[in-house]
Every structure is written in C-alpha cells, then in structure tokens.
Amino acid sequence: MPAHTDHFSLRTHGKGTTEITRTISEIVSASGIRHGAVTVFVRHTSASLVIMENADPSARRDLEVFFEKLVPENTPWFIHTQEGPDDMPSHIRMALTRTSEVIPIIDGRMALGTWQGIFLFEHRRDPHQRQIAVAVVGE
Amino acid sequence: MPAHTDHFSLRTHGKGTTEITRTISEIVSASGIRHGAVTVFVRHTSASLVIMENADPSARRDLEVFFEKLVPENTPWFIHTQEGPDDMPSHIRMALTRTSEVIPIIDGRMALGTWQGIFLFEHRRDPHQRQIAVAVVGE
Amino acid sequence: MPAHTDHFSLRTHGKGTTEITRTISEIVSASGIRHGAVTVFVRHTSASLVIMENADPSARRDLEVFFEKLVPENTPWFIHTQEGPDDMPSHIRMALTRTSEVIPIIDGRMALGTWQGIFLFEHRRDPHQRQIAVAVVGE
C-alpha cells in the first residue's frame, strides 16, 4: 500500500516541547511501508515542530529560553495582540521553526539519528489541544 | 495515479506575504490523489514560504516587521551587497523561514488547520516573478 | 518503482556550508523516478540543511556570520554547555534552519531554481562525519 494517513491530538501544558517520536514511529510501523518518507504536520500557527536532541533536557530548555528572548512578549510595536502578550510571539516562533518535518523511512524505520527526537513546540502560555496530521508515502 | 507534479508563477509587489493556498488546493484536487502529501517548493533564494494565520492580516504585518528588524538592511558587515541593501537580508530571511513545505492529504484535501494559510514571502523590495513547484504523491 | 532510499556521509571541516546538490541529484537520477519528490534529511542536531545561493560564496559567508551573531557562543545563561561553547549554539542554529528539505522532481530532475544549491550547514567547530538520509518517492 503506497500511502497511509493518520492524525492524533495531544494536550500541551503551556509553553515547551513535548516529544512525539514514539507516536510517529508507531504510525510508520502500522503503515507497513518499508521505504519512503513520513510527513509530520502541525495544524496550528501558534505551535510548531522541531527535531531536537532527545537526551539532555537542558538543551531543550536553553532552546525555549532563546526563543523567549529572541521574540519577547510585550514587544511594544506588535499590533496583533488581541489574544494577549503571547499571541504574536507564538506566530513568529512558529515561523522560525517548522510546521512540517519529513523523515525518510529505510527498512521500515524512520532514519532518525541516535540523538534526534521529534518534538511539538507549544508557544502559548495556556494548555492547548493540538492536532498533528501524519502521511506515510512509499512502498 | 501515484504522483502528479505541477508549477506556477506569481508576480509579487515587493516585500510581503501573498496567499497561495487556493492554487495549491486546486492542484491537489486536480491530481485525484486522496491520501498522501503535497510538497510546495519556492524556486528562489530571496523569497520563501511560511504557513501563517490567514484571518487577521495584522499578524502577517507584525511577522514582516519582525524580520525587517531581526535582519536589518544596511547591516554594516554584510559583504554580499551587489544587488542593493535588500539583497543579503533576503537570503537570511529565506533561510530563517522555509523553502519547502509539505502538507498531508487526507480524504482528498490538505490537512490544514482552520487558521492556516500557505503564503509566499517576498523579501525583495521590487516586484518579482516567482516560480513555485508542486508535487503531489500518494494514491 | 515508487520509492527509493539511500544515505551517504560526508566529513565537514568545522563550521560552514558544504554543497551536496550533486550527490542528491545523482541519487535522484539513479532512482529512475520521473515525477515525485526527494526528501533530504540530516541525522544530527548540531548540523542542518539550507537551500542557498550557489553562485557567490560571499552570500553564504554573510549567512554564517549572521548566525554567529544571532546565537553567540558563550551566551552566559546557557545551561547545556558540557560539550563546549559551540554546543548549544549549534542546536539553536539547527532549529532556526532545516533538518529536512523536500524538492519536487519534474521530468526526472529536481525542480531547483537556477541559483539554488542544497547545503549541509555544520555548526560545530571541529570536523565531523555527518550522515544524510535521502528518500525519493514518486513514479
């Protein structure tokens, strides 16, 4: 079967990264596809994806703080502020990271490196229900 | 039919974002592919793609201003300035956003979230004719 | 044949960009796939991909210097510093660029624009052996 699509949702706990590697891996296995690629896609503009080191959580913490400082809340010239001070920074942090990520599948497994994990990056302060769409294409 | 490719061009009006969601959606429909993924690719290094909020234009305006400030024209240490002060900032803003974006197709439609639109992000001051290549793969 | 996967490795010489367009192009040709998309994926969290101007090397030099300044080594609040001052900046510069890049294949060739090259972006000071996975999907 050359294509398999799926989707799932996940509740975040406010700002931060949540690993989703295992769920994607299970969808790849269930697809039966041995060679091809899997597309992971976040269906939101205030959350994003990043493939990041999965070993030491301090690396993700520093990444999160970097984005807090690069795109500060309460930036005085922001116009789009209806939903609060974390609204516009969320969109910009999303644009600076990724909405889609595509990982080759070789011999039935994602070709992730040893230290790579796939993370959902929540940019809003409040917990949100986030939807992720997945497409596995190949043979 | 497992693969369908297409391309189109579009004239920008200088710096800013232009929505291309409808054109991509029509290419997906025309492909007849019901499950898989569509790749959108900008064939330039001074324009890029971003999936962004499609409702309130002020969010896109703030995004554009953010990039103006993050990568200012007339940065004194730039060497690559032959084509003017907007040359090198264009390449860097492109590298910070996306050249390709991949969206899963589920039941014949792109799995975009409610507020997600696909935008071409022009980084040059002058209007340009921009080429976009599209590949739909699946079944 | 609808899917073809491959991988290769490459030794970097410390920080900087190395063009890999030709290798990817050869993998696409060898696949025999005429219409579809190729996914290029870096299996590391301290190196990344960028599609950048392939003509004037000064554009890549300015890009590299920009990232040196945007994410400086010896940032005082970094916690994740076990592997040296270039450790955490490498992860952040990777997150700001791309881990995967997907290029449509039309008539047997990647639909790259005239000035586009695919580059591996090494973020560590020391030379590293870097692995790249490639998946060609289509028909």
Side-chain angles (χ1 to χ4, degrees), chain A residues 20-88:
Chain A
I20 58 170
T21 313
R22 182 171 297 193
T23 307
I24 306 302
S25 186
E26 288 168 356
I27 292 171
V28 169
S29 293
S31 76
I33 288 170
R34 303 284 302 165
H35 290 278
V38 55
T39 299
V40 187
F41 182 87
V42 182
R43 304 183 66 211
H44 304 275
T45 61
S46 55
S48 59
L49 289 174
V50 70
I51 288 184
M52 187 56 188
E53 188 186 295
N54 58 7
D56 182 355
S58 71
R60 297 206 308 280
R61 180 67 193 137
D62 281 351
L63 182 78
E64 293 161 13
V65 173
F66 175 83
F67 280 100
E68 288 289 325
K69 291 176 184 287
L70 184 67
V71 196
E73 292 195 2
N74 299 309
T75 296
W77 54 264
F78 282 157
I79 300 167
H80 182 82
T81 54
Q82 304 93 305
E83 293 183 44
D86 60 332
D87 184 3
M88 197 58 223

Side-chain angles (χ1 to χ4, degrees), chain A residues 1-7 39-45 48 70-72 77-83 87-88 91-92 94-102 131 133-137, chain B residues 2 34-37 50-54 56 58-63 65-67 69-70 96-98 100-107 110-117 137-139:
Chain A
M1 196 193 72
H4 174 90
T5 55
D6 206 339
H7 55 89
T39 299
V40 187
F41 182 87
V42 182
R43 304 183 66 211
H44 304 275
T45 61
S48 59
L70 184 67
V71 196
W77 54 264
F78 282 157
I79 300 167
H80 182 82
T81 54
Q82 304 93 305
E83 293 183 44
D87 184 3
M88 197 58 223
H91 294 309
I92 297 174
M94 172 279 297
L96 288 166
T97 51
R98 300 101 183 239
T99 295
S100 62
E101 198 70 77
V102 186
Q131 298 177 326
V134 181
V136 192
V137 178
Chain B
R34 304 284 303 165
H35 290 278
V50 70
I51 288 184
M52 187 55 188
E53 188 185 295
N54 59 6
D56 182 354
S58 71
R60 298 207 308 279
R61 181 68 194 136
D62 282 351
L63 182 78
V65 173
F66 174 83
F67 280 101
K69 292 176 183 286
L70 184 67
L96 288 167
T97 50
R98 299 101 183 240
S100 62
E101 198 70 77
V102 187
I103 304 110
I105 299 166
I106 302 182
D107 292 326
M110 284 191 286
L112 291 170
T114 310
W115 309 109
Q116 286 181 311
V137 177
E139 62 176 359

Side-chain angles (χ1 to χ4, degrees), chain C residues 55-76:
Chain C
D56 182 353
S58 71
R60 298 207 307 281
R61 181 68 194 136
D62 282 352
L63 182 78
E64 294 162 13
V65 173
F66 175 84
F67 280 102
E68 287 290 325
K69 291 176 184 285
L70 183 67
V71 196
E73 292 196 1
N74 299 310
T75 296

Side-chain angles (χ1 to χ4, degrees), chain A residues 106-107 111, chain C residues 5-9 23 27 41 43 131-135:
Chain A
I106 301 182
D107 292 326
Chain C
T5 55
D6 206 338
H7 54 90
F8 63 98
S9 74
T23 307
I27 292 171
F41 182 86
R43 304 183 66 211
Q131 299 176 326
I132 293 164
V134 182

Side-chain angles (χ1 to χ4, degrees), chain C residues 17-85:
Chain C
T17 48
T18 305
E19 187 158 15
I20 57 170
T21 313
R22 183 171 298 193
T23 307
I24 307 301
S25 187
E26 288 168 355
I27 292 171
V28 169
S29 294
S31 77
I33 287 169
R34 303 285 302 165
H35 290 278
V38 55
T39 299
V40 187
F41 182 86
V42 182
R43 304 183 66 211
H44 304 276
T45 61
S46 56
S48 58
L49 290 174
V50 70
I51 288 184
M52 187 57 186
E53 189 186 295
N54 58 7
D56 182 353
S58 71
R60 298 207 307 281
R61 181 68 194 136
D62 282 352
L63 182 78
E64 294 162 13
V65 173
F66 175 84
F67 280 102
E68 287 290 325
K69 291 176 184 285
L70 183 67
V71 196
E73 292 196 1
N74 299 310
T75 296
W77 54 264
F78 282 157
I79 300 167
H80 182 82
T81 55
Q82 304 94 305
E83 292 182 44

